[in-house]
């Protein structure tokens, strides 16, 4: 979809993707893609919904939701069940030349109980966003609720 179909606020999580309301608190609603330059990959944007547009009783990280995992510049957004997303994150980060402290921080975060920590972060902030330095660049790791419930895959 062309980026012009969405407002700046919708693409930057300050307006509801469904109704353009700026009244929060917002719930993460997954991602939308917009067309980039011809021949370029589409741009992927995290989006949110306002309380009236959030389905009744839907918790941002209920057990039947997939997580969209993205590692900026390394892993394109992919929707997976949370345990698989955490395993994929560790599998992608472990071989990188992150340095001892960064690797230990991720190992600590992804140890037993990681699912509860990630669910709590997403429930509180609508997403989990972590960063790491690689070759002098800061990269982001994002986990957000996916748009498609796991039960409908």
């Amino acid at each position: 979809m062309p980026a012009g179909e969405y407002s700046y606020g919708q693409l930057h999580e300050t307006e509801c993707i469904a109704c353009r309301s700026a009244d929060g608190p917002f719930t993460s609603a997954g991602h939308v893609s917009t067309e980039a330059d011809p021949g370029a990959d589409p741009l992927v944007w995290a989006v949110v919904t306002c309380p009236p547009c959030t389905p009744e009783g839907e918790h941002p990280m209920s057990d039947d939701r997939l997580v969209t995992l993205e590692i900026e510049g390394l892993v394109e957004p992919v929707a997976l069940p949370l345990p698989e997303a955490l395993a994929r994150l560790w599998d992608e980060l472990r071989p990188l030349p992150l340095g001892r402290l960064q690797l230990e921080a991720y190992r600590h975060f992804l140890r037993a109980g990681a699912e509860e920590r990630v669910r709590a972060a997403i429930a509180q902030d609508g997403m989990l966003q972590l960063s790491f330095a690689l070759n002098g660049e800061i990269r982001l790791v994002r986990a957000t609720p996916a748009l498609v419930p796991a039960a409908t895959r």
Side-chain angles (χ1 to χ4, degrees):
M1 178 174 286
E5 298 290 321
Y6 299 106
S7 71
Y8 179 90
Q10 287 173 306
L11 296 178
H12 290 88
E13 302 174 275
T14 60
E15 292 178 357
C16 175
I17 193 64
C19 72
R20 297 180 81 164
S21 169
D23 296 329
F26 294 113
T27 298
S28 180
H31 294 84
V32 296
S33 296
T34 59
E35 294 174 1
D37 293 329
D41 290 334
L43 301 173
V44 179
W45 306 87
V47 294
V48 295
T49 54
C50 64
C53 293
T54 301
E56 181 74 28
E58 183 170 305
H59 183 276
M61 268 313 297
S62 59
D63 288 339
D64 66 341
R65 294 290 301 267
L66 297 175
V67 173
T68 300
L69 172 69
E70 174 185 11
I71 304 175
E72 191 176 73
L74 299 173
V75 175
E76 293 297 316
V78 59
L80 300 166
L82 183 56
E84 289 178 37
L86 294 173
R88 170 90 183 264
L89 174 59
W90 182 240
D91 289 345
E92 295 288 342
L93 291 174
R94 189 176 50 231
L96 297 177
L98 295 181
R100 187 179 60 79
L101 290 177
Q102 287 189 114
L103 193 58
E104 285 302 315
Y106 274 98
R107 183 187 328 253
H108 176 75
F109 187 82
L110 296 171
R111 73 186 192 289
E115 286 183 44
E116 292 79 24
R117 284 189 291 283
V118 172
R119 285 183 198 284
I122 291 175
Q124 179 177 339
D125 300 325
M127 73 165 50
L128 171 68
Q129 185 166 281
L130 304 169
S131 62
F132 62 92
L134 180 64
N135 299 327
E137 292 183 34
I138 301 297
R139 308 274 182 149
L140 293 177
V141 174
R142 289 185 194 91
T144 58
L147 286 174
V148 180
T152 63
R153 287 189 304 158

